[in-house]
Amino acid sequence: LRGLNVAPGEADAERLYYLAQGLRRLERFDDALAAIDQLRTLYPQSDYTLRGLVSLADAHLVRNEPDRYITLYSSCAEMFPEQERCAY
């Protein structure tokens, strides 16, 4: 997915989201965060950004890593204040 070239927009946001999900499942959390950071920068209002933030935060939550999940949940709440999924 890293080498896949798609036009900017929701297709690229979806590509970055699935890249982050795959990296998260492989427990390559720093690489997953890098993909999420790209989503935050390039597509700050995309639903894929929201979903990526919550998914990575949840992964850190179940691993009991508050230094990581609090930051991600906070970013989610700041970027998407109107979303119920971010009411942490």
Side-chain angles (χ1 to χ4, degrees), residues 32-50:
L33 181 58
I36 298 298
D37 284 342
Q38 283 187 294
L39 274 169
R40 284 195 273 199
T41 300
L42 298 172
Y43 310 105
Q45 296 304 307
S46 173
D47 188 59
Y48 289 109
T49 302
L50 168 62

Side-chain angles (χ1 to χ4, degrees), residues 27-72:
E27 297 187 1
R28 292 176 49 189
F29 297 114
D30 290 337
D31 292 332
L33 181 58
I36 298 298
D37 284 342
Q38 283 187 294
L39 274 169
R40 284 195 273 199
T41 300
L42 298 172
Y43 310 105
Q45 296 304 307
S46 173
D47 188 59
Y48 289 109
T49 302
L50 168 62
R51 291 168 57 187
L53 283 166
V54 171
S55 178
L56 190 55
D58 289 347
H60 289 298
L61 177 66
V62 299
R63 293 171 59 87
N64 194 27
E65 298 171 337
D67 56 317
R68 290 184 162 219
Y69 70 73
I70 290 172
T71 302
L72 291 164

Side-chain angles (χ1 to χ4, degrees), residues 6 11 19 25 34-35 37 57 59 62 70 74:
V6 295
L19 175 63
R25 287 186 183 124
D37 284 342
V62 299
I70 290 172
S74 295

